[in-house]
Amino acid sequence: MLRLIFHYLASENRRPPAHTPRPASPQWSILTVRSLDISSHIPKPIVEMDAEDSPWKDVPPRENSNPNTPKALDADESAPPTNSKASQPSTPSASSAPRSPSGRGPRTLRKVGVQPTRLEAVDDTLGPLGPLGENASQPEDPPLPPLKEQSLPIRNAGQAPTPSDPQMSGSTMADSTGGDDLDLVASRVRFPPPVQPPSSGAESMRRQTQPSVSIEQAAKPSFDITVGDPHKVGDLTSSHIVYQVRTKTTSKAYKQPEFAVSRRYRDFLWLYNSLHNNNPGIVVPPPPEKQAVGRFDTNFVESRRAALERMLNKTAAHPMLQHDGDLKIFLESDAFNMDVKYREHKEPGLGESKGMLSSIGFGSSGGGKFIEHDDWFHDRKVYLDALENQLKALLKAIDTVVSQRKALAEAAGDFSASLHALATVELSVSLSTPLEGLSDLQLRIRELYDRQAQQDVLTLGITVDEYIRLISSIKTAFSQRQKAFHSWRSAESELAKRKSTQEKVLRSGKTQQDRLNQLQADVGDGERRCHQARLLFEDMGRLMRAELERFEREKVEDFKSGVETFLEGAVEAQKELIELWETFLMQLDADEDGEPFFKPAVVPTPPIPTSASGDTRQPQSSDLQQNDHPDTTAATVGGKAGHLYKLDTTTLLTKDKNNGKRCEAAYGPALAGVFLRVPSTPPDFSSQTLVRTGIQLGVLAFIVLIFIFVLDNRYSVLPKTIHSHLPTHHPGLVLTDITVVTCSTLNLLSSCRLDPDKWHRVEKDLYLSSGWVNRAYVHVERKREAELKEGDRIVLDVRIGRLDPATSEKNQGAERWESRPAGIWLLRTSKRHASDSERAVTAVDVLFGVDAVEPRLGWEIKDQPLRLGSSSPDIPEPRLSIRHGPAAKFQKPVPRVRKDGKFKIMQVADLHLSTGIGTCRDPEPAGHNGGKCDADVRTLEFVGSALDLEKPDLVVLTGDQVNGETAPDAQSAVFKFAELFVHRKTPYATILGNHDDEGSLDRPALMSLTQSLPYSLSEAGPVPVDGVGNYAIDILARGTSTHSAITLYLLDTHGYSPDEAHFKGYDWLKKSQIDWFRETSKALKQSASHKEYTHLHMDMAFIHIPLPEFREVGKIVEGTGRLLENPTAPGFNSGFMQALVQEDVMAVSCGHDHVNDYCALEKVEGSSGSSSSGHAGHKEKGKGGLWMCYGGGAGFGGYGGYGGYHRRVRMWEFDTNEARLTTWKRVEYGETEKRVDEVVVVEGGKVVG
């Protein structure tokens, strides 16, 4: 707030400076800063502050504790007139005296007294060019230091200032009160040090090179915080870890310089949330994430302890957070819980930031969608998202490395146990001893791997995890800035309302002075709030810029330190591992020679005689008896015969060429000419040597294969016949280029199709054929790996936007982003191995709408739309969806009864989804959500909440998923409902309605698309049968059984009547479909999966358009739903209901009529004819009848509005234990937690009603 006041006063008082006398000679000048009194310009309510405002309680009153010391003088009182050229310096004020804790007085109102500031020109004979003029040999005295520095110790200070200093003139002081000087004071510039007289010798050089520390840095408190002694406290239900937080600080705000408190994890969370609330816009170092499982594991506790310690030290090092009162409470309070409760219930004092923020509505939520207009913040958001994804990928890789190290440690432990067991049963000591030694070695290797895994987590892993959490904290700061923006807009809106009310009262002409006074006060209050909100938003923007710059600096330092520590640990671990193996191998060699393990004796070379001329004589044959081998010398050392090797200065380990024995010698400059003894034994072809050699050859072959495999993966060095069979080979197409081509119907020369031999066009007009004259299509260039040429570049990534991604993303390497039309940016590479990389883009598709989603595995939809520039806002925006790597393979799920013997089906009818968010038809209630209703958004939210509530085992969509007339791209609409189920991993099956194929896709294409999606059980059905989507689903019994417990039949009811003259309305089920149903039912009943099922088998059917029997009102069962519209069944009855009854189908459910949700019962006496020839389950069950139910409309894109009808879905639950079938409904509004119209329709395998 003071910063804003300073800037305001600077703008008000900025005027041309008065004349300042220049020095007589052209010498270097220094501006000496005095103090400036601005107290007369500051309003009284702001000047008079309560010392309670400082949470540190270490800011003493500005009045001097000595009553005899005068207060700070005003600008016109600071220099009593003595003469026209010189003035006596004023007495130092109380504010310039040293602050001492002992000088603290009672908390009283204090006045902010600021000293006058003088800017004056001082001759500097020590300028960068040295002494100038005639006075070069006569150095002058240094100028008087600023008044503020007289009470502070000054390093390398010159002589003390005198009162008769001619530099201090009254005119100079008056000239120094301009607006520019206010900016200097406001920004707290660093004052120049006093000028020193020239000196000579080493002492002068030492003083000039001595580093200086600013007053701000010297006064900044230091913190050293350690978090340690984690121990578990509490009982079984309330156990938690408590840490000891020990603090060492130089801050005078704390009672003691060193203290310790105990804190638990939730206390750290409280500190983090409090700091965020107290300091909007500040990036608060976050605590580690909460973990429910394994929170008492030793490694986890240690990593959490280290993360909490880093959090506290970073918080205390922050220049603003270290002054927060909540941090002081956290670090120092012994009664922490009581202090927290007291602080939460305490009303914020006058002038505190919390009160001001709440007064302008900062804490309130709401506001519309925030659109970032600042390119700098937009680019940072994009950069932070990309950085977060990369860091998460890096953390996942580190976790993989740590897991592999732990697995290696476990494998080494198992290997050690096996070797130890083998050594205990081995009778031969010569074999059991090495085995036992190898077992001990594996134990040490296991400890090494465990230690290295923990080091990886505590060095690089904890840094990556910390910055992932820091990015979340930055996003929280971004969210706070958005709230500040909404508060500003809300204040502006409220101010406009108050001004409008004031104008209405003024125009009315009525005399309402009290009313006008109140309105005038309200307008003034609104202007104040609006001004405060705007200043807060702007200040938060400036603050966040500085915070993000600080984040970047610290990120580089932390990652550099973390990577260096990680690499040093890895190198040390490898050195230790090599040392362990070499020690073990030398021990084996010593044991084989029958000698204890020690370093071989070193025989120094006899002194070489020197001739009188100074030449060195070489050893003669008489000195040493040479052996047959030219490099060895026969000798006897310690009474044992052997060979002597002569070593050069760089040899550490040598081997005898005859028997391969290892020798060791100390390394040093005296090693030249040293001979080592190696026992001369015959070559050893023992089983141990053979086994060792075989293992070495196997390991070598394995390493060579891995090397060739990696080399081929990167550079494709193997022949095509071998390379194409490797698992990393991608046999499909890869993209080498992407572009957008726009054409116009007015331009006869323009074409929307490029060379078809080179380019493949995605057959979707980006304007959805809604443009008046424009058309646009995405074209891709794709090739197989064998077709790639030398100049081809493979697309690795695609981005959409107006800015080059390289400007906001780091670590792009030598690759550069290439621009394409419609805001497309491509990252391409010419490396050969990229075609087999998972990064290679292999497919591109176009989806439409701001709510477009991508349910296909391995696909990614871009968050930014293509930038067409001239598209209408009514046209759903096009978005690119790309696939990296080969197409993902998935298996269709096999529906199975749950362990409790139940199976739940959700029937979703008539979604009527559009391309884009769609338009609501007959929403109920009409005023829900303020009257705002986006059809597809509300529909999908309802179905998603029902899925989360019921958690069905299967979802059956009974037609009209797509609202054809509002779906120019039916694929986008299909993907929206599919993503609901793919996200929840719920199997689903679909049939088509009469509106599905009225969009861009026909019925075969729609069913083929749905059939290809994950978790879809949809099938197109046999070709000779009429319609698309006639199929059966067998639901297997619980456990691992392969027997069928339930069979579902799904049939296509087509669209509109083919014979409108005789049978108006809708189409009917054809004879080929009924015949297929009968044949399929009989075949299933005769199959082993049905016959061997020991419980009662149950069957059900789903269709879209109701059967003609649905019209019979007398068959409607009360309490099952309502009849709100006349059933629109076909005019021709093909007899499908009789086929259902004869084949023991117990229920059939449909959609089509949105506001009907009743059930009707067709009662039939006697037994089923087909069941007599069926399996036992079918024989036991009588016919009973057939239930015919409506599902009820679920989508807001279709009609509704009959009698306050709420959208709904129908549930079906099979209980195979009791052969029971129950049905109920879930509604979108009203009694959403209640099972509506629940009824049992089958009991004990018989239809009941």
Side-chain angles (χ1 to χ4, degrees):
M1 181 61 72
L2 288 177
R3 188 184 306 156
L4 299 177
I5 296 169
F6 285 134
H7 284 291
Y8 172 77
L9 295 178
S11 63
E12 291 292 331
N13 296 318
R14 186 171 285 115
R15 54 181 177 269
H19 174 70
T20 303
R22 298 184 179 180
S25 60
Q27 296 179 350
W28 292 87
S29 300
I30 295 179
L31 294 180
T32 305
V33 181
R34 309 300 182 197
S35 56
L36 173 65
D37 187 0
I38 62 171
S39 60
S40 60
H41 299 282
I42 304 179
K44 293 298 181 182
I46 300 179
V47 173
E48 297 180 358
M49 287 185 171
D50 190 359
E52 183 73 13
D53 295 338
S54 174
W56 296 94
K57 305 175 183 179
D58 64 341
V59 181
R62 290 302 179 101
E63 292 81 9
N64 197 327
S65 58
N66 186 1
N68 299 324
T69 305
K71 296 183 180 180
L73 300 177
D74 293 336
D76 53 353
E77 299 176 355
S78 60
T82 57
N83 52 49
S84 60
K85 293 183 179 180
S87 61
Q88 188 74 12
S90 60
T91 304
S93 63
S95 62
S96 64
R99 296 181 183 180
S100 173
S102 62
R104 296 175 185 166
R107 298 180 181 177
T108 58
L109 292 176
R110 55 186 172 87
K111 183 176 181 179
V112 180
V114 187
Q115 295 179 353
T117 299
R118 290 182 62 180
L119 301 179
E120 59 184 25
V122 179
D123 293 340
D124 184 10
T125 60
L126 298 179
L129 299 181
L132 299 177
E134 298 178 355
N135 300 328
S137 61
Q138 299 177 0
E140 297 181 359
D141 294 336
L144 183 67
L147 278 176
K148 184 176 180 180
E149 298 179 0
Q150 287 185 359
S151 60
L152 297 175
I154 303 174
R155 299 179 59 183
N156 301 332
Q159 68 181 43
T162 61
S164 61
D165 190 354
Q167 301 287 343
M168 299 180 59
S169 62
S171 61
T172 306
M173 181 179 296
D175 295 339
S176 65
T177 58
D180 296 335
D181 305 326
L182 282 172
D183 292 338
L184 289 175
V185 176
S187 59
R188 309 181 76 175
V189 299
R190 180 180 172 183
F191 301 125
V195 179
Q196 301 295 331
S199 60
S200 61
E203 180 66 21
S204 175
M205 293 298 298
R206 186 186 65 81
R207 291 183 178 182
Q208 291 180 9
T209 59
Q210 185 174 4
S212 62
V213 180
S214 65
I215 297 176
E216 290 80 0
Q217 289 180 336
K220 183 179 178 181
S222 63
F223 289 85
D224 182 14
I225 305 174
T226 57
V227 178
D229 190 23
H231 56 279
K232 182 178 178 182
V233 299
D235 54 15
L236 183 62
T237 58
S238 62
S239 57
H240 58 274
I241 298 295
V242 173
Y243 305 87
Q244 185 184 51
V245 180
R246 182 173 297 276
T247 306
K248 297 179 181 179
T249 179
T250 60
S251 174
K252 301 301 182 181
Y254 294 87
K255 300 176 182 178
Q256 298 177 357
E258 183 175 352
F259 44 87
V261 293
S262 294
R263 297 289 182 261
R264 57 184 299 185
Y265 175 73
R266 71 179 183 186
D267 300 335
F268 290 85
L269 286 181
W270 173 87
L271 175 63
Y272 173 72
N273 295 327
S274 299
L275 293 178
H276 254 307
N277 296 332
N278 300 348
N279 305 275
I282 297 292
V283 178
V284 181
E289 297 291 341
K290 196 171 185 178
Q291 180 170 323
V293 180
R295 57 194 178 102
F296 299 120
D297 180 69
T298 304
N299 293 334
F300 172 74
V301 171
E302 173 60 23
S303 61
R304 170 175 279 188
R305 183 208 61 78
L308 294 175
E309 184 174 293
R310 288 170 65 94
M311 168 199 170
L312 290 182
N313 281 285
K314 282 202 169 188
T315 303
H318 195 282
M320 297 183 67
L321 296 180
Q322 64 179 201
H323 299 292
D324 194 281
D326 288 337
L327 177 63
K328 182 175 184 293
I329 292 177
F330 178 86
L331 294 178
E332 190 180 41
S333 176
D334 293 329
F336 178 72
N337 294 329
M338 296 297 297
D339 289 343
V340 169
K341 291 181 180 178
Y342 172 75
R343 192 169 184 85
E344 290 176 351
H345 291 85
K346 178 184 175 183
E347 291 292 332
L350 181 63
E352 290 185 2
S353 60
K354 293 183 181 179
M356 183 189 71
L357 297 180
S358 60
S359 65
I360 62 175
F362 176 76
S364 60
S365 59
K369 182 179 180 181
F370 179 77
I371 300 177
E372 185 60 71
H373 298 285
D374 194 324
D375 291 340
W376 190 90
F377 281 101
H378 173 76
D379 296 341
R380 289 305 180 275
K381 286 182 180 179
V382 175
Y383 160 67
L384 289 173
D385 290 338
L387 178 63
E388 184 179 27
N389 293 333
Q390 294 296 331
L391 289 179
K392 287 182 178 179
L394 178 58
L395 183 61
K396 184 178 180 181
I398 294 175
D399 292 339
T400 303
V401 172
V402 172
S403 300
Q404 290 178 350
R405 293 198 197 281
K406 291 182 178 179
L408 283 174
E410 293 179 1
D414 296 341
F415 187 30
S416 173
S418 300
L419 290 172
H420 176 72
L422 180 60
T424 55
V425 300
E426 178 60 45
L427 298 179
S428 174
V429 178
S430 60
L431 181 58
S432 62
T433 302
L435 289 177
E436 190 65 34
L438 184 59
S439 174
D440 296 338
L441 174 64
Q442 292 299 321
L443 288 178
R444 298 182 64 183
I445 292 176
R446 184 188 65 179
E447 296 174 358
L448 174 64
Y449 284 145
D450 282 331
R451 186 170 66 254
Q452 190 175 5
Q454 184 67 11
Q455 288 176 352
D456 292 346
V457 174
L458 295 179
T459 54
L460 188 57
I462 196 173
T463 303
V464 176
D465 181 66
E466 177 187 8
Y467 273 86
I468 292 174
R469 292 182 279 108
L470 266 177
I471 292 176
S472 299
S473 186
I474 294 175
K475 290 182 177 180
T476 302
F478 273 98
S479 177
Q480 290 177 331
R481 178 173 172 269
Q482 294 179 10
K483 289 182 180 179
F485 176 81
H486 290 311
S487 299
W488 176 23
R489 293 307 184 194
S490 177
E492 286 183 338
S493 177
E494 183 65 24
L495 177 60
K497 291 180 182 179
R498 294 181 180 182
K499 287 185 176 180
S500 176
T501 304
Q502 184 185 29
E503 292 175 358
K504 289 180 181 179
V505 174
L506 290 175
R507 287 196 303 266
S508 63
K510 297 180 181 180
T511 304
Q512 301 178 6
Q513 192 60 38
D514 294 340
R515 175 67 171 165
L516 289 176
N517 293 339
Q518 181 63 35
L519 290 176
Q520 183 66 27
D522 292 343
V523 170
D525 180 68
E527 291 176 346
R528 178 185 62 81
R529 290 173 179 268
C530 183
H531 181 67
Q532 288 181 347
R534 180 180 63 82
L535 292 181
L536 175 64
F537 176 71
E538 294 174 354
D539 276 357
M540 288 183 66
R542 288 190 290 269
L543 184 60
M544 289 183 63
R545 287 174 183 265
E547 285 292 291
L548 289 176
E549 292 175 359
R550 187 171 183 270
F551 168 80
E552 289 296 326
R553 292 194 304 270
E554 293 184 352
K555 182 189 67 176
V556 174
E557 295 175 359
D558 291 344
F559 270 90
K560 182 179 179 181
S561 175
V563 171
E564 287 179 352
T565 308
F566 174 79
L567 294 178
E568 290 173 358
V571 170
E572 292 299 326
Q574 294 302 317
K575 288 181 178 179
E576 184 177 352
L577 184 62
I578 293 173
E579 183 180 355
L580 290 174
W581 278 111
E582 287 186 343
T583 303
F584 178 72
L585 289 176
M586 286 188 289
Q587 184 177 2
L588 285 182
D589 292 338
D591 292 342
E592 289 181 5
D593 296 336
E595 299 178 353
F597 172 61
F598 59 91
K599 290 187 177 181
V602 178
V603 181
T605 306
I608 302 175
T610 306
S611 63
S613 61
D615 297 333
T616 301
R617 184 175 65 85
Q618 299 297 327
Q620 303 298 323
S621 59
S622 59
D623 298 329
L624 295 173
Q625 181 181 356
Q626 298 291 335
N627 200 347
D628 296 336
H629 199 284
D631 294 334
T632 60
T633 301
T636 302
V637 180
K640 295 187 178 182
H643 295 299
L644 291 179
Y645 257 104
K646 185 175 182 179
L647 308 179
D648 57 20
T649 58
T650 59
T651 304
L652 288 178
L653 294 174
T654 62
K655 290 188 178 180
D656 190 296
K657 294 183 179 180
N658 294 327
N659 55 21
K661 300 303 176 187
R662 298 171 61 90
C663 303
E664 181 181 12
Y667 182 84
L671 194 61
V674 172
F675 290 86
L676 298 183
R677 182 186 61 81
V678 181
S680 57
T681 57
D684 184 10
F685 297 103
S686 62
S687 59
Q688 182 178 358
T689 304
L690 294 176
V691 170
R692 183 190 305 171
T693 304
I695 293 176
Q696 292 174 347
L697 291 176
V699 171
L700 178 62
F702 178 75
I703 293 175
V704 170
L705 289 176
I706 292 296
F707 176 75
I708 295 176
F709 179 80
V710 174
L711 194 66
D712 180 74
N713 186 30
R714 285 187 170 273
Y715 304 107
S716 301
V717 296
L718 293 177
K720 296 293 182 182
T721 54
I722 301 177
H723 175 75
S724 60
H725 290 85
L726 292 178
T728 58
H729 175 69
H730 175 56
L733 299 168
V734 293
L735 300 189
T736 57
D737 204 353
I738 305 173
T739 188
V740 173
V741 178
T742 304
C743 58
S744 173
T745 56
L746 300 179
N747 186 358
L748 300 180
L749 299 180
S750 65
S751 174
C752 280
R753 186 178 294 275
L754 299 179
D755 183 4
D757 295 334
K758 179 180 179 182
W759 295 91
H760 169 75
R761 189 173 85 170
V762 180
E763 296 299 335
K764 288 186 179 182
D765 179 13
L766 301 183
Y767 293 98
L768 289 176
S769 302
S770 299
W772 290 97
V773 295
N774 291 331
R775 298 287 186 272
Y777 292 89
V778 175
H779 287 70
V780 297
E781 184 182 16
R782 55 187 187 179
K783 294 183 178 180
R784 297 186 183 276
E785 185 182 14
E787 301 171 353
L788 294 175
K789 300 179 181 178
E790 188 66 26
D792 290 334
R793 297 169 60 85
I794 299 170
V795 179
L796 297 181
D797 201 359
V798 182
R799 300 291 170 84
I800 310 297
R802 56 187 179 88
L803 299 177
D804 187 349
T807 61
S808 59
E809 297 185 10
K810 302 294 181 65
N811 303 324
Q812 291 298 327
E815 303 292 345
R816 67 181 184 89
W817 291 86
E818 304 174 28
S819 177
R820 295 292 185 270
I824 298 177
W825 294 87
L826 302 181
L827 180 62
R828 302 197 299 168
T829 181
S830 57
K831 296 179 180 179
R832 292 186 60 190
H833 70 277
S835 60
D836 287 339
S837 171
E838 293 294 332
R839 295 183 59 193
V841 178
T842 56
V844 171
D845 203 350
V846 181
L847 302 175
F848 294 85
V850 67
D851 59 339
V853 293
E854 180 57 84
R856 293 175 291 186
L857 302 180
W859 287 76
E860 171 193 5
I861 188 169
K862 296 302 175 181
D863 55 354
Q864 294 292 330
L866 293 176
R867 307 177 68 87
L868 298 179
S870 59
S871 60
S872 171
D874 297 331
I875 302 176
E877 55 190 29
R879 295 173 179 265
L880 278 188
S881 181
I882 64 173
R883 185 185 71 199
H884 291 278
K889 298 180 180 180
F890 59 90
Q891 293 182 347
K892 285 193 173 184
V894 177
R896 183 180 296 276
V897 175
R898 298 195 304 262
K899 294 181 179 180
D900 59 357
K902 296 181 179 181
F903 189 85
K904 187 185 294 185
I905 298 174
M906 175 183 288
Q907 178 189 353
V908 181
D910 300 281
L911 286 173
H912 284 269
L913 299 175
S914 305
T915 303
I917 58 177
T919 303
C920 287
R921 295 181 59 185
D922 308 320
E924 187 65 34
H928 179 61
N929 196 24
K932 182 180 179 181
C933 181
D934 296 328
D936 290 7
V937 176
R938 189 169 174 182
T939 298
L940 296 175
E941 286 181 354
F942 162 52
V943 177
S945 62
L947 288 170
D948 296 335
L949 180 64
E950 290 288 357
K951 293 180 174 54
D953 304 295
L954 175 67
V955 178
V956 176
L957 298 100
T958 53
D960 281 357
Q961 289 78 245
V962 179
N963 195 50
E965 61 182 6
T966 60
D969 182 60
Q971 180 183 4
S972 298
V974 170
F975 281 5
K976 285 194 280 190
F977 74 75
E979 197 274 338
L980 281 175
F981 313 124
V982 174
H983 176 70
R984 292 168 175 82
K985 299 181 180 180
T986 303
Y988 61 98
T990 63
I991 53 178
L992 301 176
N994 55 294
H995 290 296
D996 286 299
D997 58 348
E998 294 176 349
S1000 60
L1001 298 178
D1002 57 14
R1003 300 177 85 82
L1006 276 170
M1007 188 56 69
S1008 175
L1009 175 64
T1010 309
Q1011 186 175 352
S1012 66
L1013 297 178
Y1015 295 95
S1016 173
L1017 302 179
S1018 304
E1019 296 181 14
V1023 176
V1025 180
D1026 289 289
V1028 179
N1030 302 298
Y1031 59 102
I1033 299 176
D1034 262 341
I1035 299 169
L1036 302 183
R1038 59 184 169 185
T1040 60
S1041 173
T1042 58
H1043 303 149
S1044 172
I1046 305 167
T1047 301
L1048 305 178
Y1049 297 96
L1050 297 92
L1051 292 93
D1052 182 13
T1053 53
H1054 315 288
Y1056 301 95
S1057 173
D1059 189 0
E1060 191 68 24
H1062 297 87
F1063 305 101
K1064 295 183 178 182
Y1066 295 94
D1067 206 348
W1068 52 86
L1069 286 158
K1070 302 298 191 292
K1071 182 178 183 301
S1072 62
Q1073 293 176 276
I1074 299 175
D1075 292 343
W1076 166 85
F1077 165 71
R1078 292 180 183 274
E1079 294 170 1
T1080 303
S1081 176
K1082 288 182 172 60
L1084 290 176
K1085 291 173 183 177
Q1086 296 298 326
S1087 64
S1089 63
H1090 281 238
K1091 282 186 175 182
E1092 297 176 3
Y1093 182 58
T1094 58
H1095 292 66
L1096 294 177
H1097 193 278
M1098 293 185 283
D1099 298 334
M1100 187 177 177
F1102 291 97
I1103 56 178
H1104 175 66
I1105 299 176
L1107 300 175
E1109 287 77 8
F1110 276 73
R1111 293 198 189 98
E1112 301 178 14
V1113 179
K1115 297 180 180 179
I1116 298 177
V1117 177
E1118 185 178 356
T1120 61
R1122 295 185 296 172
L1123 170 66
L1124 296 179
E1125 62 172 318
N1126 292 326
T1128 54
F1132 176 76
N1133 192 337
S1134 58
F1136 184 58
M1137 191 209 72
Q1138 287 76 16
L1140 291 172
V1141 173
Q1142 293 172 3
E1143 296 302 325
D1144 295 332
V1145 174
M1146 301 175 180
V1148 59
S1149 191
C1150 69
H1152 189 60
D1153 297 329
H1154 299 181
V1155 296
N1156 287 339
D1157 64 340
Y1158 64 84
C1159 288
L1161 177 59
E1162 179 75 22
K1163 293 185 178 180
V1164 179
E1165 301 297 334
S1167 300
S1168 169
S1170 64
S1171 54
S1172 60
S1173 59
H1175 61 83
H1178 286 278
K1179 288 180 180 179
E1180 293 177 3
K1181 120 181 118 156
K1183 180 178 292 187
L1186 175 71
W1187 279 97
M1188 299 176 292
C1189 296
Y1190 276 104
F1196 285 86
Y1199 70 88
Y1202 287 74
Y1205 177 84
H1206 298 297
R1207 268 66 176 185
R1208 61 198 61 206
V1209 296
R1210 179 175 287 278
M1211 303 300 304
W1212 300 90
E1213 185 177 64
F1214 292 86
D1215 187 347
T1216 59
N1217 302 315
E1218 306 294 337
R1220 179 187 300 124
L1221 177 59
T1222 309
T1223 183
W1224 65 90
K1225 288 162 288 188
R1226 292 286 184 182
V1227 295
E1228 188 266 346
Y1229 186 85
E1231 299 177 330
T1232 56
E1233 301 295 328
K1234 178 184 177 182
R1235 291 186 174 187
V1236 179
D1237 298 332
E1238 183 175 7
V1239 61
V1240 176
V1241 296
V1242 175
E1243 183 69 55
K1246 295 181 179 295
V1247 174
V1248 296

